[in-house]
Amino acid sequence: VDALRWYLVREMIVGQDADWSDARFRSRYDGDLGNEWGNLLSRTMTMLGKFTGGRIPEPEHEAGGPSEARDVAGAILAALPGHLADVALHKIGEDVMGLLRAGNRHVDATAPWKAAKDPAKAGFVRDALYTLAETVRLASSILTPILPAKAPEALRQLGVTDGAADLKAALRWGASVPGTAIVPGTVLFPRIEG
């Protein structure tokens, strides 16, 4: 159901005509949900398990330090009230995908699995992993009203148990609590066979 809701948000502008396409649905499912969001969550959970003992790390720099993901998050949070006022759900979807893409670029740019081999880079690794956890947490928090089954599941895996209860407090960069135990779970969006 959440995958259908996502397709409607990404492909259909409220108040305008829209088309259904099985190919577009699959593209949104595999590309947006599986490759961008689900893959980032999976990579983040794996690295948190390996390099920080299965907990949200205490970053060396405040909230993980500066990053493209943090900048993108700030722009999204500034634009969110206007998108909601305009019922521009498609823009919220676009913005969240931009944040998740920035998170995936952060993984590739920082390569925590390589840096973790050097004890002198422990702070760098903690900053990188905190930034990844924050990226997924914030994206999932924004998506909670749109994807009410899968977004809370992503938050639960990150150890966030009250994400839906206090959404307004969650909509800021740096809300992940260092030391929080993660709860690895199943793949959010398994590949569609066939």
Side-chain angles (χ1 to χ4, degrees), residues 13 60-61 84 106 137 146 158 162 164 166 172 176 181 194:
I13 298 173
E60 182 174 40
H61 298 94
L84 290 171
H106 191 73
R137 185 204 59 77
I146 297 170
L158 288 167
D162 61 351
D166 196 0
R172 64 179 180 82
S176 288

Side-chain angles (χ1 to χ4, degrees), residues 77-92:
L77 294 173
L80 190 58
H83 292 339
L84 290 171
D86 295 340
V87 194
L89 301 180
H90 65 289
K91 290 184 179 178
I92 295 171

Side-chain angles (χ1 to χ4, degrees), residues 4-72:
L4 175 61
R5 291 170 69 106
W6 182 248
Y7 177 85
L8 297 175
V9 164
R10 292 288 278 140
E11 295 289 330
M12 301 181 179
I13 298 173
V14 175
Q16 295 185 16
D17 291 339
D19 292 320
W20 171 267
S21 161
D22 289 349
R24 292 294 304 152
F25 174 81
R26 186 170 185 147
S27 175
R28 288 292 180 200
Y29 181 95
D30 286 341
D32 291 357
L33 300 176
N35 293 339
E36 295 293 346
W37 187 25
N39 189 43
L40 183 60
L41 173 63
S42 178
R43 293 169 89 183
T44 301
M45 296 297 288
T46 297
M47 289 187 285
L48 288 172
K50 285 183 180 179
F51 306 128
T52 63
R55 296 189 176 276
I56 303 297
E58 179 71 51
E60 182 174 40
H61 298 94
E62 184 266 328
S67 67
E68 177 195 3
R70 188 174 183 172
D71 292 344
V72 170

Side-chain angles (χ1 to χ4, degrees), residues 97 159 174 188:
M97 288 313 305
L188 281 186

